[in-house]
């Protein structure tokens, strides 16, 4: 699907390296100061080392391209949250920092909502690091509402809070 010089599509194995770089660069930009530098470096090293394996069968992974360059990557799939079993989850959502504040994140989120609607889901949810105020503002601007339900990731312990979007219309 194409919108405003961006093309969104399911990822392929050939996208492993560039999409992983988007993920790593975005993680560094978003989490510096929130997560220890050595943890970010370790997580990014593991991502790079396992990229080919993760993208061998990239089910539920999507990318956005502009002029042939991958500028965003994400994973969208049915949620495992039992209380919202008919919801679509934005599991991973990253925009290359060189492309921040250009509307790419908003268009990519619209694509995720389009996929959710096309799949017959009644809502969309995601988890965001509690202290990531920039991401929280972005999701709120997209119409997501913080519910307060939390998940704690280990290594290191990180508190993530759930956001939901119950009423949505796919714009694409």
């Amino acid at each position: 699907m194409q919108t405003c010089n961006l093309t969104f599509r399911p990822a392929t194995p050939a996208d492993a390296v560039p999409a992983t770089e988007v993920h790593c660069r975005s993680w560094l930009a978003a989490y510096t100061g929130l997560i220890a530098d050595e943890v970010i470096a370790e997580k990014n090293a593991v991502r790079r080392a396992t990229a080919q394996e993760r993208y061998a069968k990239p089910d539920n992974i999507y990318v956005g391209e502009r002029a042939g360059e991958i500028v965003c990557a994400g994973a969208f799939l049915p949620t495992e949250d039992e209380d919202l079993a008919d919801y679509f989850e934005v599991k991973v959502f990253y925009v290359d920092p060189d492309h921040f504040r250009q509307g790419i994140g908003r268009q990519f989120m619209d694509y995720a909502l389009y996929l959710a609607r096309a799949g017959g889901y009644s809502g969309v949810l995601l988890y965001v690091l509690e202290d990531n105020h920039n991401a929280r503002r972005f999701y709120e601007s997209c119409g997501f509402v913080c519910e307060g339900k939390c998940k704690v990731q280990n290594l290191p312990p990180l508190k993530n809070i759930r956001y939901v979007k119950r009423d949505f219309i796919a714009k694409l």
Side-chain angles (χ1 to χ4, degrees):
M1 174 165 293
Q2 186 166 349
T3 177
C4 297
N5 298 322
L6 288 168
T7 301
F8 299 107
R9 61 174 175 78
T12 68
D15 298 323
V17 171
T20 297
E21 282 308 306
V22 165
H23 190 160
C24 291
R25 287 171 38 79
S26 182
W27 236 68
L28 184 63
Y31 297 131
T32 296
L34 298 176
I35 298 175
D37 292 347
E38 60 273 6
V39 172
I40 293 171
E42 179 184 321
K43 296 278 189 187
N44 282 345
V46 169
R47 282 186 189 92
R48 288 180 176 113
T50 61
Q52 295 298 331
E53 179 183 325
R54 277 192 333 273
Y55 280 79
K57 292 182 77 177
D59 297 337
N60 303 312
I61 302 174
Y62 299 87
V63 296
E65 293 178 303
R66 175 186 277 166
E69 175 188 6
I70 293 178
V71 296
C72 55
F76 316 133
L77 58 154
T79 189
E80 295 176 358
D81 286 16
E82 292 179 9
D83 62 325
L84 297 176
D86 61 337
Y87 274 48
F88 199 58
E89 185 167 351
V90 175
K91 198 74 159 172
V92 178
F93 189 88
Y94 294 105
V95 175
D96 188 294
D98 288 344
H99 299 275
F100 280 179
R101 309 238 183 274
Q102 297 178 22
I104 291 170
R106 173 91 46 189
Q107 291 177 53
F108 199 37
M109 183 57 71
D110 286 346
Y111 181 63
L113 297 175
Y114 166 82
L115 293 172
R117 180 61 66 208
Y121 294 92
S122 62
V124 179
L125 69 88
L126 57 87
Y127 284 86
V128 62
L129 187 63
E130 181 179 43
D131 294 332
N132 190 344
H133 299 291
N134 288 333
R136 292 179 66 178
R137 278 190 297 274
F138 169 74
Y139 295 129
E140 289 166 4
S141 77
C142 290
F144 283 82
V145 176
C146 179
E147 278 196 335
K149 181 176 178 175
C150 299
K151 279 186 182 179
V152 176
Q153 289 177 243
N154 292 325
L155 304 172
L158 300 170
K159 186 176 179 182
N160 290 277
I161 53 177
R162 185 166 80 180
Y163 275 73
V164 297
K165 186 170 178 99
R166 288 187 165 77
D167 299 315
F168 65 97
I169 297 174
K171 295 180 182 180
L172 301 177

